[in-house]
Amino acid sequence: MGDNKRKRGRKPKNPSPETLETTTTAAITTIAAEPSPSNNDDDFSIGNVELIDNNTASSQLVRSRGRGRPKKLPTVPDKNPAGRRVTRGVDSNGAVPTVPVEVGGAITMDADPIWESVSARVMPSMDSVVKVFCVHTEPNFSLPWQRKRQYSSSSSGFVISGKRVLTNAHSVEHYTQVKLKKRGSDTKYLATVLAIGTECDIAMLTVDDDEFWQGMSPVEFGELPTLQDAVTVVGYPIGGDTISVTSGVVSRIEILSYVHGSTELLGLQIDAAINSGNSGGPAFNGKGNCVGIAFQSLKHEDVENIGYVIPTPVIMHFIKDYEKNGGYTDVILSFDGIDIANDGTVPFRHGERIGFSYLISQKYTGDDAAIKVLRNSNVLKFNIKLDGHRRLIPAHSKGKPPSYYIIAGFVFSTVSVPYLRSEYGKDYEYEAPVKILDKLLYAMPQSPDEQLVVISQVLVADINIGYEEIVNTQVVGFNGKPVKNLKSLAAMVESCDDEYLKFDLDYEQIVVLRTKTAKAATLDILATHCIPSAMSEDLKS
């Protein structure tokens, strides 16, 4: 018991094996800038800084001294005659030690030639990093006939060839207006959004004003880095208006969960600080080439400085997709003829394996692929043409406003991940109805236009007394006919001449309304709630 007893005081910094399990519930969040900067920066104290050097003689120079006049420092022989370059080693942490030099009784640190050379290579590329200003107007899924109050955010981006700018998709999601500002400039230039890749969280912008491109050089892309390779993240994070640079190393390369895209793609984990506003900023290697885009970080009380970067293979896939199709297409699910291990991995690089979904990110819509299938104890081979993958409950709304239809106070809508997030918050996977979650995880559409239609809420009126508690319940049929999508349901109700409107709902529930009374009451309900129309624009055509 004596070995297990811990002394009173500060909790150990390293988590125990039990606490490591909590990382499965840690929030990995996208890092778009907050509307306004906070003032919670930690105070910098010189007392918290300790200089460490491998040179024994010089290390004595930085020890703390008592009160009074400093002792005279011993003379250190000059081991570096003029004109001769000094090559230094690295300490156990991979850092290049600095040599303190006494000048007039004070100790100064000489410049580090290695980091100076790295900075010299990255500095020209920093001029290609821009600040992105976006005004967002999000849809209101609870009141689908209107939008939420607009808000502003700032993030980062960088110039690539062809007079284009890359940033994160979540940085310009539901955009109303996007502007860009160059480093050291006070002018904001109106930008045009060329393409948004929601799954890979990348967006492409351009600026029509030729003045913006004066003096701007596109960044050059580098190869996928390896573990422990140095990376430098450049952007405009919260805490100031000027450009910010943070450095670290690549600590992990694997298939990551892209929070904004609700997908799993190749990603880099780095130990450089990535904060709000860094979204869309480039990550450079030691040669000054871009090796990724900062896009999300891990937020948990037991971890710090864990950031994630979209690597160059995913970036180049997005760029080539735009150049090939004039837009961004969905990622395809395919084995592509490569054998997959029992643990779901495929060979990646020397001594490395990676999740087979990495193969998915390499394919385009319309490509051919050879797949191998085990069926009834027989191995079968097929050559197929790849098409887009759809789910019954889509992961994104693609920037479109939500569809709705109202009759007698019953608000009919379609289910999507943004809809569930709006209704139940970030924990929608636990809070939403079980049957809807089952369809979210496993259901596939039986036709290209199939949707999951629900009664999202009931606007209380005399005609719907007794039905007020119906919330987010699926509509499976109308007057004996199956409901395939919201548009067909609205058309059937509008053209119905039967005496009654009968809606078959999930959980064996039935809603029955008199047709003439329901249609007459709808106008009064719309006026009471200041709703301009009984259906969204996409249902009117």
mmCIF file of all heavy atoms in Angstrom, residues 136-157:
data_model
loop_
_atom_site.group_PDB
_atom_site.id
_atom_site.type_symbol
_atom_site.label_atom_id
_atom_site.label_comp_id
_atom_site.label_asym_id
_atom_site.label_seq_id
_atom_site.Cartn_x
_atom_site.Cartn_y
_atom_site.Cartn_z
ATOM 1 N N HIS A 136 -21.196 34.619 -41.650
ATOM 2 C CA HIS A 136 -21.990 33.398 -41.771
ATOM 3 C C HIS A 136 -23.450 33.684 -41.442
ATOM 4 O O HIS A 136 -23.752 34.468 -40.536
ATOM 5 C CB HIS A 136 -21.493 32.321 -40.801
ATOM 6 C CG HIS A 136 -20.015 32.080 -40.853
ATOM 7 N ND1 HIS A 136 -19.462 31.002 -41.501
ATOM 8 C CD2 HIS A 136 -18.965 32.770 -40.327
ATOM 9 C CE1 HIS A 136 -18.149 31.040 -41.373
ATOM 10 N NE2 HIS A 136 -17.820 32.102 -40.653
ATOM 11 N N THR A 137 -24.337 33.011 -42.159
ATOM 12 C CA THR A 137 -25.764 33.047 -41.838
ATOM 13 C C THR A 137 -26.261 31.612 -41.873
ATOM 14 O O THR A 137 -26.574 31.073 -42.942
ATOM 15 C CB THR A 137 -26.556 33.910 -42.827
ATOM 16 O OG1 THR A 137 -25.937 35.193 -42.941
ATOM 17 C CG2 THR A 137 -27.990 34.100 -42.343
ATOM 18 N N GLU A 138 -26.328 30.980 -40.724
ATOM 19 C CA GLU A 138 -26.673 29.572 -40.652
ATOM 20 C C GLU A 138 -28.174 29.349 -40.785
ATOM 21 O O GLU A 138 -28.978 30.202 -40.384
ATOM 22 C CB GLU A 138 -26.197 28.980 -39.328
ATOM 23 C CG GLU A 138 -24.690 28.951 -39.172
ATOM 24 C CD GLU A 138 -24.261 28.310 -37.867
ATOM 25 O OE1 GLU A 138 -25.153 28.027 -37.037
ATOM 26 O OE2 GLU A 138 -23.057 28.090 -37.682
ATOM 27 N N PRO A 139 -28.574 28.215 -41.337
ATOM 28 C CA PRO A 139 -30.003 27.891 -41.386
ATOM 29 C C PRO A 139 -30.526 27.554 -40.001
ATOM 30 O O PRO A 139 -29.775 27.136 -39.114
ATOM 31 C CB PRO A 139 -30.054 26.668 -42.310
ATOM 32 C CG PRO A 139 -28.704 26.048 -42.194
ATOM 33 C CD PRO A 139 -27.738 27.185 -41.990
ATOM 34 N N ASN A 140 -31.799 27.739 -39.818
ATOM 35 C CA ASN A 140 -32.458 27.428 -38.556
ATOM 36 C C ASN A 140 -33.300 26.182 -38.770
ATOM 37 O O ASN A 140 -34.362 26.244 -39.382
ATOM 38 C CB ASN A 140 -33.328 28.609 -38.104
ATOM 39 C CG ASN A 140 -33.835 28.443 -36.679
ATOM 40 O OD1 ASN A 140 -34.020 27.333 -36.201
ATOM 41 N ND2 ASN A 140 -34.054 29.553 -36.007
ATOM 42 N N PHE A 141 -32.830 25.041 -38.283
ATOM 43 C CA PHE A 141 -33.529 23.788 -38.529
ATOM 44 C C PHE A 141 -34.780 23.643 -37.674
ATOM 45 O O PHE A 141 -35.694 22.908 -38.039
ATOM 46 C CB PHE A 141 -32.590 22.607 -38.294
ATOM 47 C CG PHE A 141 -31.510 22.501 -39.321
ATOM 48 C CD1 PHE A 141 -30.271 23.086 -39.112
ATOM 49 C CD2 PHE A 141 -31.729 21.822 -40.501
ATOM 50 C CE1 PHE A 141 -29.275 22.992 -40.062
ATOM 51 C CE2 PHE A 141 -30.729 21.727 -41.459
ATOM 52 C CZ PHE A 141 -29.498 22.314 -41.243
ATOM 53 N N SER A 142 -34.828 24.337 -36.554
ATOM 54 C CA SER A 142 -36.020 24.282 -35.724
ATOM 55 C C SER A 142 -37.134 25.138 -36.316
ATOM 56 O O SER A 142 -38.313 24.805 -36.211
ATOM 57 C CB SER A 142 -35.698 24.761 -34.304
ATOM 58 O OG SER A 142 -34.730 23.929 -33.704
ATOM 59 N N LEU A 143 -36.758 26.263 -36.938
ATOM 60 C CA LEU A 143 -37.703 27.141 -37.637
ATOM 61 C C LEU A 143 -37.199 27.262 -39.084
ATOM 62 O O LEU A 143 -36.576 28.256 -39.451
ATOM 63 C CB LEU A 143 -37.764 28.511 -36.968
ATOM 64 C CG LEU A 143 -38.093 28.518 -35.464
ATOM 65 C CD1 LEU A 143 -37.988 29.917 -34.903
ATOM 66 C CD2 LEU A 143 -39.481 27.939 -35.213
ATOM 67 N N PRO A 144 -37.429 26.249 -39.919
ATOM 68 C CA PRO A 144 -36.761 26.161 -41.219
ATOM 69 C C PRO A 144 -37.144 27.250 -42.208
ATOM 70 O O PRO A 144 -36.503 27.376 -43.244
ATOM 71 C CB PRO A 144 -37.185 24.777 -41.733
ATOM 72 C CG PRO A 144 -38.436 24.452 -41.006
ATOM 73 C CD PRO A 144 -38.307 25.096 -39.658
ATOM 74 N N TRP A 145 -38.185 28.027 -41.934
ATOM 75 C CA TRP A 145 -38.574 29.100 -42.838
ATOM 76 C C TRP A 145 -37.759 30.376 -42.628
ATOM 77 O O TRP A 145 -37.939 31.361 -43.323
ATOM 78 C CB TRP A 145 -40.055 29.420 -42.667
ATOM 79 C CG TRP A 145 -40.458 29.647 -41.240
ATOM 80 C CD1 TRP A 145 -40.431 30.809 -40.537
ATOM 81 C CD2 TRP A 145 -40.943 28.648 -40.332
ATOM 82 N NE1 TRP A 145 -40.851 30.617 -39.258
ATOM 83 C CE2 TRP A 145 -41.182 29.304 -39.102
ATOM 84 C CE3 TRP A 145 -41.207 27.289 -40.438
ATOM 85 C CZ2 TRP A 145 -41.676 28.611 -37.992
ATOM 86 C CZ3 TRP A 145 -41.705 26.614 -39.335
ATOM 87 C CH2 TRP A 145 -41.922 27.275 -38.127
ATOM 88 N N GLN A 146 -36.824 30.350 -41.679
ATOM 89 C CA GLN A 146 -35.986 31.513 -41.446
ATOM 90 C C GLN A 146 -34.554 31.081 -41.131
ATOM 91 O O GLN A 146 -34.273 29.895 -40.987
ATOM 92 C CB GLN A 146 -36.535 32.358 -40.296
ATOM 93 C CG GLN A 146 -36.516 31.662 -38.940
ATOM 94 C CD GLN A 146 -37.196 32.498 -37.872
ATOM 95 O OE1 GLN A 146 -38.150 33.218 -38.148
ATOM 96 N NE2 GLN A 146 -36.714 32.400 -36.661
ATOM 97 N N ARG A 147 -33.650 32.063 -41.072
ATOM 98 C CA ARG A 147 -32.247 31.793 -40.763
ATOM 99 C C ARG A 147 -31.868 32.388 -39.418
ATOM 100 O O ARG A 147 -32.575 33.251 -38.895
ATOM 101 C CB ARG A 147 -31.331 32.350 -41.859
ATOM 102 C CG ARG A 147 -31.384 31.547 -43.155
ATOM 103 C CD ARG A 147 -30.450 32.121 -44.187
ATOM 104 N NE ARG A 147 -30.372 31.263 -45.369
ATOM 105 C CZ ARG A 147 -29.454 30.328 -45.563
ATOM 106 N NH1 ARG A 147 -28.525 30.136 -44.646
ATOM 107 N NH2 ARG A 147 -29.442 29.579 -46.657
ATOM 108 N N LYS A 148 -30.740 31.913 -38.868
ATOM 109 C CA LYS A 148 -30.265 32.438 -37.597
ATOM 110 C C LYS A 148 -29.616 33.802 -37.796
ATOM 111 O O LYS A 148 -29.347 34.222 -38.913
ATOM 112 C CB LYS A 148 -29.269 31.464 -36.964
ATOM 113 C CG LYS A 148 -29.850 30.114 -36.587
ATOM 114 C CD LYS A 148 -28.798 29.229 -35.943
ATOM 115 C CE LYS A 148 -29.383 27.880 -35.555
ATOM 116 N NZ LYS A 148 -28.365 26.980 -34.948
ATOM 117 N N ARG A 149 -29.344 34.463 -36.686
ATOM 118 C CA ARG A 149 -28.673 35.758 -36.731
ATOM 119 C C ARG A 149 -27.265 35.588 -37.284
ATOM 120 O O ARG A 149 -26.548 34.666 -36.912
ATOM 121 C CB ARG A 149 -28.613 36.347 -35.320
ATOM 122 C CG ARG A 149 -28.041 37.760 -35.246
ATOM 123 C CD ARG A 149 -27.962 38.209 -33.791
ATOM 124 N NE ARG A 149 -27.481 39.562 -33.668
ATOM 125 C CZ ARG A 149 -28.259 40.641 -33.647
ATOM 126 N NH1 ARG A 149 -29.567 40.488 -33.738
ATOM 127 N NH2 ARG A 149 -27.758 41.853 -33.534
ATOM 128 N N GLN A 150 -26.857 36.471 -38.185
ATOM 129 C CA GLN A 150 -25.539 36.357 -38.794
ATOM 130 C C GLN A 150 -24.441 36.653 -37.769
ATOM 131 O O GLN A 150 -24.643 37.400 -36.819
ATOM 132 C CB GLN A 150 -25.416 37.290 -39.995
ATOM 133 C CG GLN A 150 -25.359 38.762 -39.659
ATOM 134 C CD GLN A 150 -25.177 39.618 -40.900
ATOM 135 O OE1 GLN A 150 -25.485 39.208 -42.002
ATOM 136 N NE2 GLN A 150 -24.673 40.822 -40.713
ATOM 137 N N TYR A 151 -23.281 36.061 -38.009
ATOM 138 C CA TYR A 151 -22.128 36.297 -37.148
ATOM 139 C C TYR A 151 -20.871 36.285 -38.011
ATOM 140 O O TYR A 151 -20.882 35.816 -39.148
ATOM 141 C CB TYR A 151 -22.030 35.242 -36.047
ATOM 142 C CG TYR A 151 -21.729 33.851 -36.518
ATOM 143 C CD1 TYR A 151 -20.415 33.375 -36.577
ATOM 144 C CD2 TYR A 151 -22.745 32.985 -36.926
ATOM 145 C CE1 TYR A 151 -20.134 32.096 -37.013
ATOM 146 C CE2 TYR A 151 -22.472 31.702 -37.375
ATOM 147 C CZ TYR A 151 -21.161 31.263 -37.413
ATOM 148 O OH TYR A 151 -20.875 29.996 -37.854
ATOM 149 N N SER A 152 -19.800 36.808 -37.460
ATOM 150 C CA SER A 152 -18.545 36.923 -38.194
ATOM 151 C C SER A 152 -17.470 36.054 -37.552
ATOM 152 O O SER A 152 -17.498 35.794 -36.349
ATOM 153 C CB SER A 152 -18.061 38.385 -38.229
ATOM 154 O OG SER A 152 -19.020 39.217 -38.852
ATOM 155 N N SER A 153 -16.521 35.616 -38.370
ATOM 156 C CA SER A 153 -15.381 34.852 -37.872
ATOM 157 C C SER A 153 -14.154 35.207 -38.695
ATOM 158 O O SER A 153 -14.255 35.781 -39.783
ATOM 159 C CB SER A 153 -15.647 33.344 -37.969
ATOM 160 O OG SER A 153 -15.591 32.912 -39.317
ATOM 161 N N SER A 154 -12.994 34.883 -38.165
ATOM 162 C CA SER A 154 -11.747 35.063 -38.907
ATOM 163 C C SER A 154 -10.947 33.781 -38.825
ATOM 164 O O SER A 154 -10.989 33.056 -37.827
ATOM 165 C CB SER A 154 -10.942 36.234 -38.345
ATOM 166 O OG SER A 154 -10.498 35.958 -37.036
ATOM 167 N N SER A 155 -10.234 33.489 -39.893
ATOM 168 C CA SER A 155 -9.415 32.288 -39.962
ATOM 169 C C SER A 155 -8.226 32.584 -40.863
ATOM 170 O O SER A 155 -7.912 33.752 -41.116
ATOM 171 C CB SER A 155 -10.241 31.105 -40.489
ATOM 172 O OG SER A 155 -10.834 31.426 -41.735
ATOM 173 N N SER A 156 -7.575 31.555 -41.352
ATOM 174 C CA SER A 156 -6.367 31.726 -42.151
ATOM 175 C C SER A 156 -6.519 31.022 -43.492
ATOM 176 O O SER A 156 -7.383 30.162 -43.677
ATOM 177 C CB SER A 156 -5.141 31.168 -41.410
ATOM 178 O OG SER A 156 -5.035 31.729 -40.108
ATOM 179 N N GLY A 157 -5.670 31.393 -44.432
ATOM 180 C CA GLY A 157 -5.630 30.765 -45.743
ATOM 181 C C GLY A 157 -4.285 31.039 -46.381
ATOM 182 O O GLY A 157 -3.462 31.782 -45.842
#
